[in-house]
Amino acid sequence: MQHVSQAPATTPDAEPAPPEPRAFSEVKGWFSAYDQVLFDWFLNRQNATPEASGDILELGAFMGKSAIFLAQYLKEGEEFTVCDLFDSPAPDDFNLAEMKDSYPTLTRRGFETNYLAFHPALPTVIQAPTSVVADRVRPGSCRFVHVDASHLHEHVVQDIASSRIVAAPDAVVVFDDYRSAHCPGVAAAVWAAVATGGLRVIAVSASKLYATWGDPAPHQAALLGWLEGRTDLWHGVDVVAGSPLVRIGDEGVRAPAAPRLLRPPAEPVAAPSAAPKPPAPKPVRWRRLAKDLLPPLVTRAIVTRRRRRA
């Protein structure tokens, strides 16, 4: 299994290393419990099918949450490739604005720190725009492709085209944000590929569209059989552009077992306790002070004057 970076890290050396996560839940990212359940089902089904071998590819990694999850399903001899700009310069002004607005904390070092807390070696990392993927990943080599990169329409169109080149005949290709209100470019590109580009939908969740460039029917038949036995997921079948797709919703499903840390989490360092404050000095009454410091004649005069005022 190859684990070679194809680009140098660009995070400044002077930047402090981010803390390791103490649990999978601490890794930042957007990955619902029921999409984790669906990933788990698709990938385990592939792993139980000898002819469904191939590599895994992710376009857009953010801080590594879904990458950490996907890497659990690699079989011997398979390769996992992640492509993301991380903190490299964006290729155009629109992408630069998107990076600053949506991913201001994204760094290669942050991804690597999170990933290596759960896995002994990094995946193959392509630190570049996802437009290079078709030239860097072998055609027809991937059994599972997760697309969650730029939300700009023209970039998504390119990612869809790249997924078709690198996907194996019956590969599962997953698109994130296909219906999010803040990502109309993703919706336009993905549904256009469904309507006229040969992309075949297997199923949809609230966040992700599961598709294939091959025949969706075997995937759908197995998926429906699995869903029939579950009460924590609801489902229905719709027909879109002349083909059926399975709609799936959450009814309280719990995420599969989370990826395990390689090392026990470090104990938090307790902050040093502050030194106790010295007690405040007790106030000294004026009579005692006057008696100790002033001549008796002056002291009697002060006492007499204060009594007259009282």
Side-chain angles (χ1 to χ4, degrees), residues 187-234:
V190 170
W191 286 114
V194 172
T196 62
L199 185 65
R200 310 289 298 280
V201 183
I202 302 169
V204 293
S205 71
S207 301
K208 298 183 187 290
L209 182 144
Y210 297 77
T212 183
W213 293 103
D215 182 5
H219 296 287
Q220 290 174 335
L223 179 61
L224 287 168
W226 173 71
L227 287 168
E228 287 295 338
R230 301 194 68 112
T231 58
D232 53 0
L233 293 168
W234 64 260

Side-chain angles (χ1 to χ4, degrees), residues 175-196:
F175 296 93
D176 190 64
D177 288 322
Y178 77 101
R179 62 187 290 271
S180 297
H182 66 286
C183 306
V186 179
V190 170
W191 286 114
V194 172
T196 62

Side-chain angles (χ1 to χ4, degrees), residues 242-265:
S243 298
L245 60 81
V246 182
R247 289 187 300 115
I248 305 170
D250 185 5
E251 289 285 354
V253 71
R254 300 182 65 176
R260 293 186 177 183
L261 292 167
L262 289 180
R263 300 166 293 279

Side-chain angles (χ1 to χ4, degrees), residues 275-281:
K277 293 182 178 180

Side-chain angles (χ1 to χ4, degrees), residues 123-192:
T124 297
V125 177
I126 303 174
Q127 186 168 343
T130 54
S131 56
V132 308
V133 161
D135 297 324
R136 305 269 188 101
V137 177
R138 289 181 296 112
S141 63
C142 297
R143 63 179 169 103
F144 195 95
V145 180
H146 182 216
V147 182
D148 188 10
S150 172
H151 299 144
L152 300 175
H153 178 263
E154 60 272 25
H155 293 185
V156 182
V157 169
Q158 178 63 61
D159 290 345
I160 293 170
S162 296
S163 77
R164 188 170 198 170
I165 293 170
V166 302
D170 293 316
V172 175
V173 185
V174 185
F175 296 93
D176 190 64
D177 288 322
Y178 77 101
R179 62 187 290 271
S180 297
H182 66 286
C183 306
V186 179
V190 170
W191 286 114

